[in-house]
């Protein structure tokens, strides 16, 4: 796969879709905030509506009515889901090719082994080990590409936004809270596995 440019392009495209989905996902609360602010000021008096309009003139240029804000929210939410699905579709061929390549190498290695090795082993046990190995590769690839990396990216984006809007203290609190949660979860998981 080192010389296969199609798979490199697929991996880069999957990472692009991942970043696009997370950027849209991080924008959703801002759109929702804008809609709630607009609706709450629209139900108040005219002075509050005029001050809200003056304070948010750049955002209002993009969204003329609360309905358009909600439509933008729906488009962003749908776009994030579409990017996630596109990432899965683009990366699945890479994952399946990797699993097939590793399984082929394992089969070739088993084929090269001495007859004495095969006579001392059960065929079903070897088949089960190969199947578990290929499923483990699929699990590791899917959990890294579809769970771990997106979560780290989203936490980084949120921490960056918090640092920009409210100061570095909020970003550090968020990052340390997530790190403490991950450490606690891993510790408890290891304790449960050992018992």
């Amino acid at each position: 796969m080192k010389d296969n440019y199609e798979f490199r392009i697929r991996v880069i495209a999957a990472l692009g879709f991942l970043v696009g989905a997370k950027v849209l996902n991080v924008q959703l609360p801002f759109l929702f905030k804008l809609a709630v602010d607009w609706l709450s000021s629209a139900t108040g008096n005219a002075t509050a509506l005029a001050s809200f309009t003056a304070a948010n003139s750049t955002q209002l240029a993009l969204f003329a009515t609360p309905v358009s804000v909600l439509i933008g929210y729906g488009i962003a939410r749908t776009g994030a889901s579409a990017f996630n699905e596109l990432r899965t579709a683009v990366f699945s061929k890479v994952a399946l090719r990797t699993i097939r390549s590793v399984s082929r190498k394992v089969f070739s290695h088993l084929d090269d082994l001495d007859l004495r090795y095969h006579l001392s082993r059960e065929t079903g046990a070897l088949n089960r080990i190969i199947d578990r190995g290929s499923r483990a590769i699929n699990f590791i690839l899917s959990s890294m590409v579809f769970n771990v990396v997106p979560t780290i990216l989203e936490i980084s984006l949120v921490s960056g936004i918090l640092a920009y809007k409210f100061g570095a203290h909020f970003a550090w609190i968020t990052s340390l809270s997530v790190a403490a949660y991950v450490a606690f979860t891993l510790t408890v998981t290891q304790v449960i596995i050992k018992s």
Side-chain angles (χ1 to χ4, degrees), residues 7-61:
F7 289 104
R8 288 182 184 179
I9 291 171
R10 282 181 173 272
V11 169
I12 291 169
L15 290 175
F17 288 138
L18 166 72
V19 170
K22 291 306 166 187
V23 166
L24 284 176
N25 208 22
V26 168
Q27 296 303 316
L28 291 176
F30 292 112
L31 290 171
F32 195 64
K33 175 208 172 288
L34 185 62
V36 169
D37 287 348
W38 194 328
L39 291 173
S40 65
S41 66
T43 57
N45 58 15
T47 308
L49 183 60
S51 65
F52 175 76
T53 305
N56 296 305
S57 61
T58 58
Q59 293 173 341
L60 294 177

Side-chain angles (χ1 to χ4, degrees), residues 178-195:
V178 171
Y181 172 74
V182 168
F184 175 76
T185 302
L186 291 176
T187 304
V188 169
T189 303
Q190 291 300 320
V191 169
I192 290 173
I193 288 173
K194 288 179 182 177
S195 61

Side-chain angles (χ1 to χ4, degrees), residues 113-134:
L113 290 175
D114 192 37
L115 179 63
R116 207 172 320 138
Y117 175 82
H118 290 289
L119 291 176
S120 66
R121 293 282 193 167
E122 294 178 9
T123 306
L126 285 175
N127 190 22
R128 192 168 49 252
I129 290 169
I130 294 170
D131 185 50
R132 283 184 190 162
S134 63

Side-chain angles (χ1 to χ4, degrees), residues 12-190:
I12 291 169
L15 290 175
F17 288 138
L18 166 72
V19 170
K22 291 306 166 187
V23 166
L24 284 176
N25 208 22
V26 168
Q27 296 303 316
L28 291 176
F30 292 112
L31 290 171
F32 195 64
K33 175 208 172 288
L34 185 62
V36 169
D37 287 348
W38 194 328
L39 291 173
S40 65
S41 66
T43 57
N45 58 15
T47 308
L49 183 60
S51 65
F52 175 76
T53 305
N56 296 305
S57 61
T58 58
Q59 293 173 341
L60 294 177
L62 293 175
F63 301 106
T65 64
V67 173
S68 62
V69 173
L70 293 176
I71 290 172
Y73 178 82
I75 290 171
R77 185 122 177 137
T78 304
S81 297
F83 277 150
N84 282 330
E85 294 300 323
L86 285 170
R87 180 195 63 198
T88 303
V90 166
F91 193 76
S92 64
K93 190 172 183 179
V94 176
L96 292 174
R97 174 61 86 68
T98 304
I99 292 167
R100 188 171 66 199
S101 175
V102 170
S103 297
R104 188 179 294 150
K105 287 180 183 177
V106 168
F107 182 76
S108 177
H109 175 71
L110 286 173
D111 194 38
D112 291 341
L113 290 175
D114 192 37
L115 179 63
R116 207 172 320 138
Y117 175 82
H118 290 289
L119 291 176
S120 66
R121 293 282 193 167
E122 294 178 9
T123 306
L126 285 175
N127 190 22
R128 192 168 49 252
I129 290 169
I130 294 170
D131 185 50
R132 283 184 190 162
S134 63
R135 278 190 275 143
I137 292 170
N138 188 24
F139 174 75
I140 289 171
L141 280 174
S142 64
S143 66
M144 287 299 290
V145 172
F146 301 134
N147 293 328
V148 175
V149 174
T151 302
I152 291 171
L153 179 64
E154 191 164 10
I155 291 169
S156 301
L157 287 171
V158 168
S159 295
I161 290 170
L162 286 174
Y164 178 74
K165 292 270 189 186
F166 304 110
H169 295 344
F170 285 100
W172 280 109
I173 290 170
T174 302
S175 300
L176 291 176
S177 298
V178 171
Y181 172 74
V182 168
F184 175 76
T185 302
L186 291 176
T187 304
V188 169
T189 303
Q190 291 300 320

